[in-house]
């Protein structure tokens, strides 16, 4: 199952050593930044953030979970057991966070913060000599441990692999007025070299060094964390939106190199474990039929010879044609035959 917050969180479940953290060391707010963890003792998942709350499910030492957020000494967590997904709360002292690998700072010095914000309280000033253990990632910030401290660092200040989230120009200088060295496609992996001014970073790609805006970068797919929280239509849309502007190719199924309307919907939902045919007609019989008055983000809208994904505000996201590629289109641009809900 692809994570609900796949676009926000991109850290590996595999590799790296285990970092034993105490509840005190987990004091940083981990909201919206998921962390993979294991139970270091038998425990229970509670229904609410209250030690007297009802039990959701019993857990055993060694069980793998994903921490979703923190509430005092308790953390919201998700546990997947076969086809069943359980969410609830458990004590932070019962978990061991998994390190997803080590990294170094790019600037000479930078500030580790308690929360993922430039206004977050400083925890410690770090230098390039400090070794970081990456524990989580979300919305442009890494959640890291350094010795006995944990906190947040901006993506552009950590020397770890990154990828482009959209088609992007690699430039000679940190400005949109400078010469374009190369046009990078969505998903291109870059090596961070240095932090530049005004939200730009120096990167290397296939031997070419230049500058890109950090606003269009995310952590590498090498660092994906599977979040067992159930998939939502919003997650489907968030995943689909990263391919806006890519090519339309009749009969194609590549989200980056070209796809047609059914190939687009098929591949978006394949990322969430839903198998669909490469056919706008065939997709009509999948999922559950819903009325236009009940349409929700992520629903598949089927027309005669066309199909798209509802994006809210009266629009669909779809691979429309060779001229417009993957784009937004009015949901009522043609007569709707059926609306299918797949998640």
């Amino acid at each position: 199952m692809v994570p609900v917050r796949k676009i926000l969180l991109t850290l590996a479940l595999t590799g790296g050593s285990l970092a034993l953290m105490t509840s005190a060391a987990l004091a940083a707010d981990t909201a919206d930044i998921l962390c993979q963890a294991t139970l270091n003792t038998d425990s229970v998942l509670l229904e609410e953030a209250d030690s007297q709350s009802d039990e959701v499910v019993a857990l055993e030492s060694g069980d793998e979970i994903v921490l979703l957020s923190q509430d005092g000494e308790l953390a919201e967590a998700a546990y997947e057991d076969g086809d069943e997904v359980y969410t609830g709360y458990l004590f932070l002292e019962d978990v061991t966070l998994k390190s997803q690998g080590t990294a170094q700072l790019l600037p000479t010095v930078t500030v580790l913060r308690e929360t993922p914000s430039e206004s977050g309280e400083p925890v410690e000033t770090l230098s390039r000599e400090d070794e970081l253990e990456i524990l989580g990632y979300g919305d442009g910030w890494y959640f890291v441990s350094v010795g006995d401290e944990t906190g947040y660092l901006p993506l552009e200040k950590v020397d770890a692999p990154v990828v482009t989230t959209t088609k992007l120009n690699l430039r000679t200088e940190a400005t949109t007025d400078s010469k374009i060295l190369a046009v990078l496609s969505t998903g291109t992996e870059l090596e961070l070299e240095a932090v530049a001014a005004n939200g730009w970073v120096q990167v290397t790609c296939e031997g070419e060094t230049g500058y890109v805006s950090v606003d269009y970068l995310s952590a590498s797919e090498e660092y994906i964390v599977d979040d067992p929280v159930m998939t939502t239509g919003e997650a489907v849309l968030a995943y689909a939106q990263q391919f806006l502007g890519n090519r339309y190719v009749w009969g194609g199924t590549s989200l980056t190199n070209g796809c047609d309307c059914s190939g687009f919907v098929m591949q978006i939902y394949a990322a969430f474990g839903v198998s669909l045919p490469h056919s706008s007609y065939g997709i009509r019989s999948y999922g559950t039929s819903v009325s236009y008055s009940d349409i929700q983000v992520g629903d598949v809208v089927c027309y005669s010879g066309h199909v798209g994904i509802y994006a809210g505000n009266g629009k669909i996201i779809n691979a429309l044609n060779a001229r417009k590629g993957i784009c937004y289109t009015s949901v009522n641009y043609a007569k709707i035959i059926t609306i299918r809900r797949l998640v």
Side-chain angles (χ1 to χ4, degrees):
M1 179 182 298
V2 166
V4 173
R5 282 172 276 185
K6 180 171 183 177
I7 308 307
L8 295 181
L9 177 73
T10 50
L11 284 181
L13 294 181
T14 57
S17 58
L18 296 180
L20 179 62
M21 312 296 289
T22 66
S23 58
L26 282 169
D29 179 9
T30 60
D32 297 328
I33 297 192
L34 313 188
C35 299
Q36 181 73 10
T38 56
L39 270 295
N40 56 44
T41 184
D42 290 349
S43 186
V44 295
L45 209 55
L46 302 171
E47 190 173 331
E48 299 176 0
D50 181 343
S51 59
Q52 305 302 313
S53 174
D54 293 337
E55 177 183 319
V56 174
V57 65
L59 303 174
E60 297 180 357
S61 178
D63 282 344
E64 291 197 351
I65 60 170
V66 175
L67 298 185
L68 307 176
S69 63
Q70 181 186 347
D71 192 334
E73 295 181 351
L74 289 150
E76 185 181 8
Y79 170 66
E80 188 170 17
D81 184 12
D83 293 334
E84 295 294 328
V85 177
Y86 302 93
T87 58
Y89 295 82
L90 47 69
F91 285 95
L92 287 172
E93 63 185 17
D94 293 342
V95 304
T96 298
L97 294 187
K98 274 190 175 181
S99 166
Q100 310 309 325
T102 60
Q104 304 294 140
L105 289 175
L106 283 169
T108 304
V109 294
T110 194
V111 177
L112 183 70
R113 298 189 183 276
E114 283 189 3
T115 55
S117 167
E118 290 292 353
S119 60
E121 286 296 318
V123 175
E124 187 177 351
T125 299
L126 305 178
S127 68
R128 194 171 291 174
E129 287 71 37
D130 289 314
E131 186 173 88
L132 314 174
E133 293 286 340
I134 300 178
L135 304 175
Y137 167 83
D139 205 18
W141 291 77
Y142 282 108
F143 180 50
V144 305
S145 67
V146 186
D148 294 331
E149 300 287 354
T150 60
Y152 295 87
L153 293 171
L155 175 101
E156 67 269 23
K157 295 185 179 180
V158 179
D159 185 9
V162 296
V163 293
T164 57
T165 59
T166 185
K167 188 180 291 185
L168 189 60
N169 293 326
L170 179 68
R171 296 183 179 272
T172 55
E173 304 293 338
T175 169
T176 55
D177 297 328
S178 61
K179 179 183 176 182
I180 297 175
L181 293 172
V183 178
L184 309 176
S185 59
T186 303
T188 301
E189 186 163 309
L190 309 173
E191 294 180 27
L192 284 168
E193 301 290 352
V195 179
N198 303 319
W200 290 72
V201 288
Q202 186 183 49
V203 299
T204 296
C205 176
E206 298 181 352
E208 192 89 70
T209 299
Y211 294 85
V212 296
S213 170
V214 73
D215 292 338
Y216 304 106
L217 303 179
S218 72
S220 170
E221 286 290 328
E222 178 183 346
Y223 297 103
I224 290 176
V225 168
D226 285 326
D227 171 8
V229 176
M230 298 302 288
T231 298
T232 65
E234 286 79 7
V236 172
L237 176 61
Y239 181 60
Q241 285 172 328
Q242 68 177 310
F243 304 107
L244 280 166
N246 287 357
R247 296 173 60 211
Y248 172 97
V249 174
W250 187 86
T253 59
S254 172
L255 295 171
T256 53
N257 296 322
C259 59
D260 59 17
C261 64
S262 58
F264 175 71
V265 173
M266 179 183 74
Q267 293 293 59
I268 293 299
Y269 269 93
F272 292 83
V274 178
S275 259
L276 295 174
H278 189 189
S279 162
S280 59
Y281 176 82
I283 290 173
R284 297 180 197 173
S285 61
Y286 282 71
T288 303
S289 176
V290 296
S291 66
Y292 183 76
S293 61
D294 292 329
I295 193 170
Q296 295 180 6
V297 167
D299 288 346
V300 175
V301 185
C302 302
Y303 310 86
S304 176
H306 191 64
V307 65
I309 297 171
Y310 188 61
N313 299 317
K315 295 180 180 179
I316 57 169
I317 183 171
N318 63 146
L320 185 60
N321 54 38
R323 185 167 62 89
K324 293 191 175 181
I326 298 173
C327 62
Y328 293 116
T329 305
S330 169
V331 70
N332 292 311
Y333 94 102
K335 182 181 178 181
I336 297 172
I337 293 176
T338 183
I339 300 169
R340 315 302 295 184
R341 182 159 300 156
L342 303 176
V343 295

